[in-house]
């Protein structure tokens, strides 16, 4: 019976994906994308990847959807610009893609005799980190360098987005409030939901050490709540020249890096944790990272500065 | 013996329920997104949020996977946010498009 | 005790599924946006509430149960507010 | 057939769909959307690999899961950058027709002005 359910959700996902590609209206396509992300997190739960399900629900549908939606609303006038390629080109592209899909399906059908896995290793060394969630163990202990560099990538992307603003607006604030015309209900919502969201974000970050969750999921919830507040006009987006914002942006990666270098002194090397304090250090890093991720993701979604800075 | 029989039956029952809810989400989605009215599209996140949480909880209990209360909470929060974004996106700049679609 | 609880779960979840299906029927059949909105949010929220109620015995503890109940309360809150937002947007 | 295989087929189909959308969509925003779909198919493939690597009492191998989490976050930052580029492009070219041939020229124009 579980298989029947899986067939149902798989066919729904494929149908929604195809619909998203074919939809005529870009706004509708983005809405379908959000729906797709919400359903995809059910698929991740079916694959026993609860950590990923949380991330997909938060980032894959929520914040990406909001970003694409505001862009689609702004580009409404350019809708219909450009034409689909001619029918033969579509057929050729379609058969190429079908070929690639068939190849991938073949790979799925012919798995290795012994499925490659690092799970036993990950579990065997987990006690040294003091964590109970193996995914957090991979993210913050075994492959901590990847996670650190990912934070740097986020900051670089934010720099890229900021530098796309016009010269006049440099140092100003993103114009997010203009996207939703504020009304009293939205304001009420933006006052009621964030407290709940912030509690949930703190819980996510805290519980990540032993259960599914962590800094990414917690940070994304923070970002979403801040975006809601800015969209409703309850608080304005900060100017990008604000020193406070910039400190928040670098706090997480800087602390991570500092702990990494501390590893030379108190442990085996770069990004190594002393066994006794491993969990405390990791939780400390996660808290700082959750704040930084929240601010970074929200500003990435808010886009380049558009309001000219007030002197 | 009797206990396992009960739990087998219960798990099948919960899965059938999940499939039914999933099917009703799918039909609702087709109805909403094929509509000519912009307001219908804004309901999509609400529909999939509520229904998706029900499906998720039913399946998680039926297959005894890890507790998924957190995922359900996350879906509830994010579906609410997505609905607000939909209303803004369809209405913020698309007023003439929305009016055009209303006719 | 267990068979009574099972019966309770079956009853509540079935009722919940019926509400979900009713909500979809309303969504398909109702003529205009406000009525469809009504069908979607009212019926689906009751459906989710009944499903949550039916699954409460399986949550294994007070914490899990309170988490499920708060999921439902959150859905109720956001449902009420989003309905207002959408209804104003079409007015 | 196991459910992991089923999701594997799903990921293959989604990758194909995303690639198709990337090729045939005329609007840059739709291409970003298609690219996200393609990425989500690849992530799902990783999820299938993780599920098959279930061992040591875990439901799935944690290493591919961690890779996917990192991937989702990076995909979001790339999407944000791409959306900012597209918005800037349209702001500068002022409703110029974004046909696929005109794209590189429009980009160069944007760079000069």
């Amino acid at each position: 019976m579980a298989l029947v359910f899986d067939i149902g959700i798989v066919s729904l996902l494929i149908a929604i994906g195809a619909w998203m590609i074919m939809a005529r209206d870009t706004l509708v396509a983005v809405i379908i994308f959000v729906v797709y992300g919400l359903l995809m997190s059910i698929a991740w739960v079916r694959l026993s990847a609860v950590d990923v399900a949380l991330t997909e629900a938060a980032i894959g549908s929520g914040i990406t959807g909001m970003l694409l939606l505001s862009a689609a609303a702004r580009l409404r006038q350019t809708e219909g610009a450009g034409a689909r390629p001619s029918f033969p080109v579509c057929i050729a592209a379609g058969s190429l893609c079908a070929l690639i899909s068939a190849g991938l399906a073949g790979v799925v059908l012919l798995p290795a005799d012994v499925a490659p896995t690092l799970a036993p290793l990950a579990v065997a060394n987990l006690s040294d980190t003091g964590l109970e969630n193996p995914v957090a163990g991979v993210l913050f202990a075994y492959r901590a360098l990847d996670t650190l560099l990912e934070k740097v990538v986020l900051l670089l992307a934010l720099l890229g987005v900021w530098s796309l603003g016009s010269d006049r607006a440099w140092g100003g604030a993103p114009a997010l409030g203009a996207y939703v015309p504020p009304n009293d209900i939205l304001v009420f919502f933006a006052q009621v939901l964030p407290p709940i969201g912030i509690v949930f974000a703190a819980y996510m970050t805290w519980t990540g050490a032993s259960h599914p969750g962590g800094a990414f999921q917690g940070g994304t919830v923070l970002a979403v709540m801040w975006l809601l507040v800015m969209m409703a006009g309850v608080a304005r987006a900060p100017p990008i020249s604000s020193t406070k914002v910039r400190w928040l942006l670098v706090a997480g990666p800087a602390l991570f890096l500092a702990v990494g270098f501390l590893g030379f002194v108190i442990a085996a090397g770069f990004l190594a944790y002393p066994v006794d304090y491993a969990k405390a250090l990791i939780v400390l890093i996660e808290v700082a990272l959750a704040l930084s991720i929240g601010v970074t993701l929200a500003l990435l979604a808010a886009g380049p500065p558009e309001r000219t800075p007030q002197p | 013996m009797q206990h396992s029989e009960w739990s087998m039956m219960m798990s099948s029952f919960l899965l059938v329920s999940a499939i039914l809810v999933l099917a009703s989400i799918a039909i609702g989605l087709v109805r909403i997104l094929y509509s000519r009215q912009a307001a219908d599209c804004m309901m999509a996140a609400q529909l999939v949020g509520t229904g998706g949480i029900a499906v998720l909880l039913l399946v998680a209990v039926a297959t005894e996977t890890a507790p998924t209360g957190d995922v359900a909470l996350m879906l509830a929060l994010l579906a609410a946010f997505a609905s607000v974004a939909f209303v803004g996106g369809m209405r913020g700049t698309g007023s003439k498009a929305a009016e055009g679609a209303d006719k | 005790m267990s068979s009574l609880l099972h019966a309770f779960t079956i009853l509540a979840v079935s009722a919940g599924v019926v509400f979900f299906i009713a909500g979809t029927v309303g969504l398909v059949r109702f003529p205009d946006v406000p009525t469809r909105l009504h069908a979607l949010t009212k019926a689906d929220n009751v459906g989710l509430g009944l499903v949550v109620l039916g699954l409460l015995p399986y949550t294994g503890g007070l914490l899990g149960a309170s988490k499920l109940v708060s999921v439902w309360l959150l859905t109720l809150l956001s449902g009420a507010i989003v309905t207002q937002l959408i209804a104003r947007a079409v007015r | 057939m196991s459910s992991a295989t089923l999701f594997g087929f799903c990921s293959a189909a989604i990758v194909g769909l995303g690639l198709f959308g990337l090729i045939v969509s005329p609007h840059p925003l739709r291409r970003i959307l298609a690219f996200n779909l393609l990425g989500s198919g690849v992530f799902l493939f990783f999820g299938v690999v993780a599920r098959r690597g279930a061992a040591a009492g875990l439901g799935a191998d944690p290493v591919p899961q961690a890779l996917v989490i990192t991937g989702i976050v990076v995909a979001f930052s790339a999407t944000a950058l791409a959306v900012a580029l597209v918005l800037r492009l349209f702001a500068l070219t002022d409703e110029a027709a974004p046909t696929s041939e005109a794209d590189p020229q429009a980009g160069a124009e944007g760079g000069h002005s």
Side-chain angles (χ1 to χ4, degrees), chain A residues 3 6-7 9-10 13-14 17-18 20-26 29-30 33 36 40 43-44 46-49 51-52 55-56 59-60 63-64 67-68 71-72 74-75 78 81-85 90 93-94 96-97 100-101 104-105 107-109 111 115-120 122-123 134-135 138-139 150 154 157 160-161 164-166 216-217 297 300-301, chain D residues 1-27 29-30 32-34 36-37 40-41 43-56 58-74 76-81 83-88 90 95-99:
Chain A
L3 198 64
D6 286 343
I7 291 174
I9 191 134
V10 160
L13 279 174
I14 295 177
M20 184 173 109
I21 297 298
M22 298 304 165
R24 204 163 285 157
D25 192 334
T26 306
V30 177
F33 178 76
Y36 170 86
M40 187 54 116
W44 281 111
R46 288 293 300 136
L47 287 169
S48 309
D51 286 275
V52 186
T55 318
E56 175 72 38
I59 301 183
I63 199 163
T64 311
L67 171 77
L68 289 169
R74 282 184 179 201
L75 293 179
T78 68
R84 291 219 160 204
C90 280
L96 172 79
C97 298
I100 288 173
S101 283
L104 267 177
V107 174
V108 170
L109 266 186
T117 177
L118 291 168
V123 171
V135 178
V138 175
L139 279 173
E150 180 204 356
L154 278 183
V161 169
L164 286 167
S166 65
F216 291 94
Q217 292 86 351
L297 293 186
L300 272 173
Chain D
M1 189 178 4
S2 74
S3 69
T5 314
L6 202 61
F7 282 107
F9 289 147
C10 181
S11 78
I14 287 171
V15 166
L17 277 172
L19 198 60
F20 179 72
L22 195 61
I23 297 173
V24 302
S25 297
H27 198 283
L29 205 57
R30 297 298 292 271
I32 296 174
L33 214 57
N36 269 294
L37 187 68
S40 115
F43 294 149
L44 194 59
F45 192 83
F46 271 63
V48 171
V49 172
R51 181 76 178 123
R52 283 186 172 160
L58 300 180
D61 187 358
V63 177
Q65 287 188 55
L67 285 178
V68 170
I69 291 177
T70 310
I72 290 176
V73 178
V74 171
F76 168 71
S77 65
T79 306
L81 191 57
V83 165
L85 273 169
V86 168
L87 285 176
R88 184 77 176 138
F90 278 100
E95 297 186 18
T99 56

Side-chain angles (χ1 to χ4, degrees), chain A:
Chain A
M1 196 47 86
L3 198 64
V4 180
F5 174 81
D6 286 343
I7 291 174
I9 191 134
V10 160
S11 32
L12 193 57
L13 279 174
I14 295 177
I16 286 180
W19 195 359
M20 184 173 109
I21 297 298
M22 298 304 165
R24 204 163 285 157
D25 192 334
T26 306
L27 273 172
V28 173
V30 177
I31 288 178
I32 297 174
F33 178 76
V34 174
V35 167
Y36 170 86
L38 292 175
L39 287 173
M40 187 54 116
S41 60
I42 299 178
W44 281 111
V45 170
R46 288 293 300 136
L47 287 169
S48 309
V50 181
D51 286 275
V52 186
L54 287 167
T55 318
E56 175 72 38
I59 301 183
S61 73
I63 199 163
T64 311
M66 179 257 151
L67 171 77
L68 289 169
L69 209 74
S70 68
R74 282 184 179 201
L75 293 179
R76 193 81 202 184
Q77 288 84 8
T78 68
E79 188 87 28
R84 291 219 160 204
S86 62
F87 190 64
V89 176
C90 280
I91 292 290
S95 27
L96 172 79
C97 298
L99 213 65
I100 288 173
S101 283
L104 267 177
V107 174
V108 170
L109 266 186
L110 303 169
D113 290 337
V114 181
T117 177
L118 291 168
L121 266 177
V123 171
N125 295 307
L126 202 59
S127 59
D128 284 348
T129 64
L131 303 174
E132 284 159 60
N133 177 7
V135 178
V138 175
L139 279 173
F140 291 99
Y142 308 144
R143 302 296 309 159
L145 189 62
D146 290 354
T147 312
L148 175 61
L149 289 178
E150 180 204 356
K151 293 290 114 28
V152 179
V153 167
L154 278 183
L155 285 182
L156 286 179
L158 184 61
L159 280 184
V161 169
W162 279 358
S163 61
L164 286 167
S166 65
D167 285 347
R168 271 182 301 110
W170 177 253
L176 196 69
Y179 154 62
V180 183
N183 61 48
D184 46 353
I185 294 175
L186 191 56
V187 168
F188 173 70
F189 200 32
Q191 285 166 337
V192 169
L193 202 61
I196 303 173
I198 290 169
V199 169
F200 182 61
Y203 164 73
M204 263 292 86
T205 312
W206 174 251
T207 197
S210 41
H211 300 288
F216 291 94
Q217 292 86 351
T220 312
V221 174
L222 281 183
V224 164
M225 291 305 129
W226 195 26
L227 282 170
L228 180 64
V229 168
M230 290 196 286
M231 271 161 52
V234 174
R236 298 190 81 175
I240 64 165
S241 56
S242 152
T243 328
K244 207 166 40 171
V245 166
R246 294 191 177 191
W247 271 113
L248 277 173
L249 284 174
V250 296
L255 185 73
F256 206 163
L257 203 62
V259 171
F261 278 116
L262 202 63
F264 281 121
V265 185
I266 57 174
F270 187 59
L271 280 175
Y273 310 107
V275 175
D276 294 343
Y277 305 106
K279 186 176 179 182
L281 279 177
I282 290 175
V283 171
L284 186 69
I285 292 175
E286 284 210 60
V287 170
L289 273 185
L291 279 177
S292 286
I293 290 173
V295 177
T296 316
L297 293 186
L299 288 177
L300 272 173
E306 283 173 57
R307 294 203 183 100
T308 46
Q310 279 106 21

Side-chain angles (χ1 to χ4, degrees), chain B residues 3 6-7 9-10 13-14 17-18 20-21 23-25 27-29 31-32 35 37-40 42-44 46-47 49-51 53-54 57-58 61 68-70 72-73 76-77 79-80 83-84 87 91 102, chain C residues 2-3 5-7 9-11 13-14 16-17 20-21 24 27-34 36-37 40-41 44-45 47-48 51-52 55 58 67-68 70-71 74-75 78-80 82-83 85-86 88-90:
Chain B
H3 174 72
W6 262 110
S7 64
M9 201 196 86
M10 191 48 109
F13 165 74
L14 292 179
S17 310
L20 285 176
V21 177
S24 83
I25 295 178
I27 296 170
L29 263 184
R31 168 69 183 90
I32 280 179
S35 166
Q37 301 192 346
D40 279 324
M42 299 178 200
M43 299 179 201
Q46 194 65 31
L47 172 71
T50 320
I53 290 169
L57 295 175
L58 286 170
V61 171
T68 44
D70 291 346
L73 266 171
L77 267 178
S83 297
V84 172
V87 176
R91 174 194 162 149
D102 279 347
Chain C
S2 96
S3 55
L5 267 186
H6 282 306
T9 300
I10 289 180
L11 212 68
V13 171
S14 314
V17 171
F20 270 107
I21 293 173
T24 300
L27 208 56
V28 172
R29 298 286 304 162
F30 280 168
D32 58 3
V33 172
R36 282 198 287 268
L37 208 51
L40 171 71
T41 46
D44 279 14
N45 280 342
L48 182 63
V51 167
V52 163
L55 294 182
Y58 293 87
K67 219 179 260 179
L68 282 202
S70 50
V71 167
L74 191 58
T75 319
S78 70
V82 168
T83 310
L85 275 176
I86 296 177
R88 282 209 187 175
V90 292

